[in-house]
């Protein structure tokens, strides 16, 4: 009878990385197979994709279920299959620069996040701001590109934490500090004396 085997028998693949699988079909002149990932023909961006040649590419974002089943189905007899297990793993790291910056009230400061990792993980991050002396927009705002705009009212205490969290692996993040400064002067002008009434 026809049988299908897949090698390697197990594999660990980093986010966005690749792994070549090989299917061997015995007792058939037709050795062609079709490939599934978790029962999905060809896979998808969530579980990873696999080419007709058996080249698997892991998703760029860490899935909730990190194990996946790679299945080869004989085209000569679709009831004959072979499968192996793989694990999608993350070694993502996040760094933010500058690590510390002095930012005047209402002024802007550009922060840059660098996402590194084996394979090809999603390089984007989600930015957030927080402070012990403020909440919400009173801590300032930051856009998707890391451009921070300081609040117009000085928080107390003044330091604001800028956090970049990996989209590829939400357990990985890095933080920087924006020290809000106030250098404006206040002057009151008026006459020296005021007449009665």
């Amino acid at each position: 009878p026809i049988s299908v085997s897949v090698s390697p028998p197990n594999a660990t693949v980093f986010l966005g990385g690749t792994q070549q699988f090989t299917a061997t079909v015995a007792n058939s002149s037709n050795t062609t197979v079709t490939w599934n990932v978790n029962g999905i023909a060809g896979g998808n961006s969530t579980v990873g994709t696999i080419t007709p040649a058996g080249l698997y590419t892991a998703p760029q974002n860490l899935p909730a279920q990190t194990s996946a089943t790679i299945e080869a189905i004989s085209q000569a007899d679709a009831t004959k299959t072979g499968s192996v297990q793989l694990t999608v793993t993350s070694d993502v790291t996040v760094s933010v620069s500058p690590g510390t910056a002095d930012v005047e009230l209402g002024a802007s400061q550009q922060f840059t996040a660098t996402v590194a990792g084996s394979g090809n993980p999603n390089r984007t991050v989600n930015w957030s701001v927080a402070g012990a002396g403020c909440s919400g927009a009173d801590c300032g705002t930051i856009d998707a590109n890391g451009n921070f705009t300081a609040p117009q009212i000085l928080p107390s205490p003044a330091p604001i934490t800028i956090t970049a969290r990996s989209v590829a692996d939400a357990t990985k993040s890095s933080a920087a500090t924006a020290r809000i400064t106030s250098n404006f002067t206040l002057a009151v002008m008026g006459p020296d004396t005021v007449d009665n009434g």
Side-chain angles (χ1 to χ4, degrees):
I2 294 174
S3 64
V4 182
S5 61
V6 179
S7 62
N10 52 65
T12 298
V13 188
F14 289 107
L15 294 177
T18 60
Q19 172 67 51
Q20 180 66 56
F21 289 96
T22 302
T24 302
V25 179
N27 302 318
S28 175
S29 59
N30 183 352
T31 58
T32 306
V33 298
T34 55
W35 294 92
N36 288 353
V37 182
N38 283 359
I40 302 167
N44 61 27
S45 60
T46 300
V47 298
T49 60
I50 193 164
T51 69
L55 182 64
Y56 172 80
T57 301
Q60 290 188 305
N61 297 336
L62 192 66
Q65 179 62 45
T66 57
S67 63
T69 300
I70 305 298
E71 184 181 37
I73 304 169
S74 169
Q75 287 192 357
D77 181 351
T79 66
K80 306 301 182 182
T81 66
S83 64
V84 294
Q85 296 292 313
L86 69 80
T87 301
V88 178
T89 190
S90 167
D91 64 348
V92 164
T93 60
V94 182
S95 59
V96 177
S97 63
T100 305
D102 293 331
V103 190
E104 177 69 11
L105 287 175
S108 295
Q109 171 68 45
Q110 180 66 53
F111 289 91
T112 301
T114 301
V115 177
S118 303
N120 182 31
N122 187 337
R123 308 284 175 175
T124 59
V125 297
N126 289 322
W127 293 95
S128 63
V129 297
C134 59
S135 63
D138 291 339
C139 296
T141 59
I142 193 164
D143 65 19
N145 297 315
N147 187 42
F148 171 72
T149 301
Q152 294 186 321
I153 299 174
L154 188 67
S156 180
I160 301 297
T161 300
I162 310 294
T163 302
R165 186 169 299 279
S166 168
V167 171
D169 182 350
T171 67
K172 307 299 174 61
S173 65
S174 183
T177 300
R179 295 181 299 212
I180 311 303
T181 60
S182 172
N183 295 311
F184 75 90
T185 57
L186 176 65
V188 177
M189 305 289 290
D192 293 333
T193 61
V194 179
D195 292 337
N196 291 336

